[in-house]
Amino acid sequence: MRTPAPHVPRLRRASAPPIVPPPSARERVKAAADFVLAALVLVPALPVIAACAVLVRLTSLGPALYTQSRVGRGGRVFTLYKIRTMYHDCEKLTGPQWSTPGDARATPVGRVMRELHLDELPQLFNVLRGEMSLVGPRPERPEIVKKLREVVVGYDRRHAVKPGITGFAQIHLPPDTCTRSVRNKVAYDLFYIRFRSARMELLILCATALKVIGLKHVYYRAPRVPTE
């Protein structure tokens, strides 16, 4: 997907929560399309989710499905569903933390699921519930959002739309590891929000499929490095 590299903003002041208007006609059409596509994908995905859940239960202690509070459109908090890929209660002593490459908290089976993005499949239920979209900014936890909105310019502007299972930032950038990486990802999120269209979202979905099957090089190019 050969789109221009978004401009990366400089840090100047804390962002303010967005004032989100009621969904437009275009957004209602997008929500309807999300519902239909999520329902269609969920039919073949259900056996995969069930198989992953059984595998998780057989290989580690704790529940197979994992729920977590995330911040959605307009700053509203919702419950996100995932297949558990880390050891149960792994953040009990540390509190919320970003996942890192080779994270020791991930189980052996969980690492494989994360690599194949199978742990994300239950989020199709979030799409059916109207809390998420197939494409949009990645939702973050309230505890982390509270800190990021104080140090990253425009961070809350990404909450002007529904969060997504995949998105423009997700296909181009690695998971967040520090404020610097968040600043770069916010620039991509705001670029998507400004220029989003049916064509762009279709390209993001196609790029996501290529990424999952290991063909990221077809569309990928190195992101612009954020400035301090």
Side-chain angles (χ1 to χ4, degrees), residues 82-93:
K82 296 184 71 173
I83 295 173
R84 182 173 57 81
T85 58
M86 294 187 176
Y87 292 103
H88 184 49
D89 276 346
C90 62
E91 293 183 332
K92 185 176 181 180
L93 299 178

Side-chain angles (χ1 to χ4, degrees), residues 52-171:
C52 289
V54 171
L55 194 55
V56 169
R57 288 286 290 157
L58 291 175
T59 56
S60 64
L61 298 175
L65 292 181
Y66 180 63
T67 60
Q68 204 173 61
S69 295
R70 297 292 177 102
V71 179
R73 185 177 187 269
R76 294 184 64 181
V77 177
F78 67 97
T79 301
L80 179 138
Y81 304 104
K82 296 184 71 173
I83 295 173
R84 182 173 57 81
T85 58
M86 294 187 176
Y87 292 103
H88 184 49
D89 276 346
C90 62
E91 293 183 332
K92 185 176 181 180
L93 299 178
T94 63
Q97 289 184 330
W98 280 318
S99 177
T100 57
D103 201 318
R105 297 174 300 169
T107 65
V109 169
R111 292 191 186 96
V112 176
M113 290 184 184
R114 291 169 74 90
E115 185 67 25
L116 298 175
H117 300 281
L118 297 177
D119 60 314
E120 311 284 354
L121 289 176
Q123 290 167 43
L124 291 168
F125 290 106
N126 288 114
V127 176
L128 295 179
R129 288 164 57 93
E131 298 159 335
M132 292 182 66
S133 174
L134 293 177
V135 177
R138 188 68 187 154
E140 187 53 270
R141 285 180 281 183
E143 301 90 343
I144 296 178
V145 168
K146 183 178 180 180
K147 297 176 182 178
L148 292 177
R149 63 167 45 117
E150 297 299 326
V151 296
V152 177
V153 170
Y155 186 82
D156 262 311
R157 290 169 57 194
R158 63 200 297 279
H159 296 139
V161 298
K162 286 182 183 179
I165 297 177
T166 186
F168 186 68
Q170 292 94 297
I171 63 172

